[in-house]
């Protein structure tokens, strides 16, 4: 590879893309890259292994480590972009966290695989090669953290895992930003919400507050919310029914928790809803925040970062409305 080839850093964390054995992702970062000789024709690649876990085991500490490494790598003039390999179960969470804390316009692409390397029709090599192609492409700059699987390019904010098929990653209600066709990334739209270099939620602390997600269902009672409020959680995201709704006893319990200092965010368990304020819950009176179109697991991430800046529900609402 010529010396003026784009320099791409690949950070690996585990997941099915590296899983040679059902219980463990055993392939190292080097193994992953060695398995695709074509990568060396596309870019000058360096690899670092940040973690080697299934993504249900990814922790806030892993996120902080990744963010730190990515921010320092992208501040180097000669690094053009970063690719992160990740298990698909929580890939959308890591990608959205990075979308809010990466401080650069350079491309960051998060990639995984739905099939393990030993399966027939394994998709990891094609996905990783597409991720490197995107990271090398000047059109990927300034679009925030991107996610690619199945030749689709998604915004980290909008994408979610929807099935266990090859086309698992979708942006419900919104659609992909583009596609990779014969190693050529093609973009058709831009994310409009604030992200990466312009984010107001860059890291300013070396730990994050505890925020719980509580899931609603017919007959739900307030006891788990009350337990969260006295167990050191600074915030709760409510995965509500429909428009992020909650039954009357929960409204009262949540209002009380807010009076005692907890931040309460209404999201929806429906796969795409823009939560309407002051509809079936009197958000302004009760001091509730609404999650806009973020799903509950992403609303939790925004709230954790927002709580490092303020506990004022009105200011936190502004973050939800803009990021
Ligand atoms: N359980 C795996 C993980 O998320 C699934 C995958 O990578 O597709 O790590």
């Amino acid at each position: 590879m010529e010396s003026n080839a784009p320099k791409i850093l690949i950070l690996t964390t585990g997941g099915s893309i590296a899983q040679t054995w059902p219980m463990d992702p055993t392939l190292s970062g080097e193994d992953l890259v060695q398995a695709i000789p074509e990568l060396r024709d596309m870019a000058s690649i360096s690899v670092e292994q940040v973690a080697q876990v299934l993504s249900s085991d990814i922790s806030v500490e892993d996120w902080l480590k990744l963010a730190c490494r990515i921010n320092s790598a992208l501040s180097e003039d000669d690094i053009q972009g970063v690719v992160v390999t990740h298990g698909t179960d929580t890939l959308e969470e890591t990608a959205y966290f990075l979308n809010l804390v990466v401080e650069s316009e350079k491309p960051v692409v998060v990639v995984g695989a739905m099939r393990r390397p030993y399966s027939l029709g394994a998709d990891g090599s094609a996905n990783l090669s597409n991720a490197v192609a995107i990271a090398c492409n000047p059109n990927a700059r300034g679009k925030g953290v991107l996610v690619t699987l199945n030749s689709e390019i998604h915004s980290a904010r909008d994408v979610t895992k929807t099935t266990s098929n090859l086309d698992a990653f979708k942006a419900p209600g919104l659609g992909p930003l583009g596609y990779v066709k014969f190693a050529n990334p093609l973009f058709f739209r831009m994310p409009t919400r604030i992200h990466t270099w312009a984010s107001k939620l860059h890291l300013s602390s070396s730990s994050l507050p505890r925020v719980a997600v509580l899931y609603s269902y017919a007959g739900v009672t307030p006891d788990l919310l009350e337990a969260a409020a006295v167990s050191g959680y600074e915030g709760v995201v409510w995965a509500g029914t429909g428009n992020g709704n909650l039954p009357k006893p929960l409204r009262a319990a949540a209002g009380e928790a807010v009076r005692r200092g907890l931040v309460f965010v209404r999201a929806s368990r429906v796969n795409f809803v823009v939560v309407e304020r002051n509809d079936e819950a009197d958000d302004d009176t009760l001091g509730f925040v609404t999650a806009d179109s973020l799903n509950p697991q992403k609303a939790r991430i925004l709230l954790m970062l927002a709580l490092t800046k303020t506990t004022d529900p009105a200011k936190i609402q502004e973050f939800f409305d803009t990021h």
Side-chain angles (χ1 to χ4, degrees):
M1 175 98 299
E2 302 151 34
S3 59
N4 61 354
K7 276 199 173 170
I8 302 295
L9 171 64
I10 300 184
L11 300 175
T12 64
T13 67
S16 287
I17 195 167
Q19 200 171 348
T20 45
W21 166 251
M23 296 299 170
D24 268 321
T26 47
L27 289 181
S28 69
E30 271 303 333
D31 294 335
L32 278 181
V33 170
Q34 297 284 341
I36 318 172
E38 293 82 356
L39 291 185
R40 305 277 177 197
D41 300 329
M42 297 165 74
S44 159
I45 306 263
S46 52
V47 196
E48 291 171 25
Q49 195 165 301
V50 175
Q52 200 168 20
V53 294
L54 297 177
S55 71
S56 44
D57 286 315
I58 285 281
S59 62
V60 168
E61 289 67 39
D62 293 322
W63 288 349
L64 295 169
K65 222 195 288 178
L66 271 175
C68 227
R69 185 62 193 110
I70 293 171
N71 280 332
S72 92
L74 293 183
S75 69
E76 289 172 35
D77 287 344
D78 60 340
I79 302 244
Q80 171 138 357
V82 172
V83 169
V84 178
T85 68
H86 201 287
T88 61
D89 289 359
T90 62
L91 188 151
E92 66 192 82
E93 293 178 53
T94 298
Y96 186 53
F97 175 77
L98 295 175
N99 198 51
L100 296 176
V101 303
V102 165
E103 297 176 12
S104 169
E105 289 187 62
K106 293 179 185 176
V108 175
V109 187
V110 188
V111 62
M114 295 309 300
R115 294 184 183 156
R116 296 169 185 165
Y118 56 81
S119 323
L120 277 181
D123 54 333
S125 299
N127 291 346
L128 182 52
S129 140
N130 283 346
V132 171
I134 296 166
C136 293
N137 193 290
N139 293 332
R141 276 182 81 103
K143 292 193 170 62
V145 173
L146 301 170
V147 169
T148 188
L149 278 94
N150 198 40
S151 301
E152 296 179 357
I153 309 170
H154 286 279
S155 159
R157 183 188 183 280
D158 305 331
V159 76
T160 189
K161 183 176 181 178
T162 61
T163 68
S164 53
N165 300 329
L166 283 180
D167 65 345
F169 280 75
K170 295 289 168 204
L174 298 170
L177 300 183
Y179 300 90
V180 185
K181 192 129 197 236
F182 301 122
N184 189 21
L186 303 169
F187 287 93
F188 295 93
R189 49 183 206 92
M190 286 282 281
T192 56
R193 294 308 180 90
I194 299 174
H195 56 71
T196 55
W197 85 96
S199 168
K200 304 284 183 287
L201 295 166
H202 289 164
L203 289 170
S204 50
S205 125
S206 57
S207 63
L208 294 179
R210 291 172 82 203
V211 171
V213 175
L214 295 179
Y215 198 92
S216 190
Y217 46 86
V220 66
T221 49
D223 40 353
L224 291 181
L225 172 62
E226 287 158 357
V230 295
S231 304
Y233 287 92
E234 292 178 39
V236 164
V237 173
W238 183 250
T241 50
N243 183 49
N245 291 322
L246 63 172
K248 279 187 189 143
L250 257 301
R251 268 178 257 168
E256 180 54 28
V258 169
R259 270 192 296 283
R260 293 175 179 208
L262 183 108
V263 177
F264 186 80
V265 176
R266 292 196 302 113
S268 175
R269 67 180 203 178
V270 176
N271 78 356
F272 181 74
V273 163
V274 183
V275 176
E276 181 71 25
R277 281 188 68 78
N278 301 309
D279 181 42
E280 289 182 25
D282 194 348
D283 297 304
D284 289 348
T285 308
L286 294 167
F288 296 167
V289 175
T290 47
D292 194 77
S293 66
L294 290 179
N295 67 25
Q297 57 273 31
K298 289 187 188 173
R300 171 177 172 266
I301 291 164
L302 191 146
L303 180 54
M304 288 161 94
L305 290 167
L307 282 166
T308 65
K309 312 288 178 198
T310 178
T311 54
D312 177 352
K315 294 213 174 86
I316 293 176
Q317 185 65 59
E318 270 179 48
F319 291 132
F320 273 96
D321 292 343
T322 52
H323 284 67

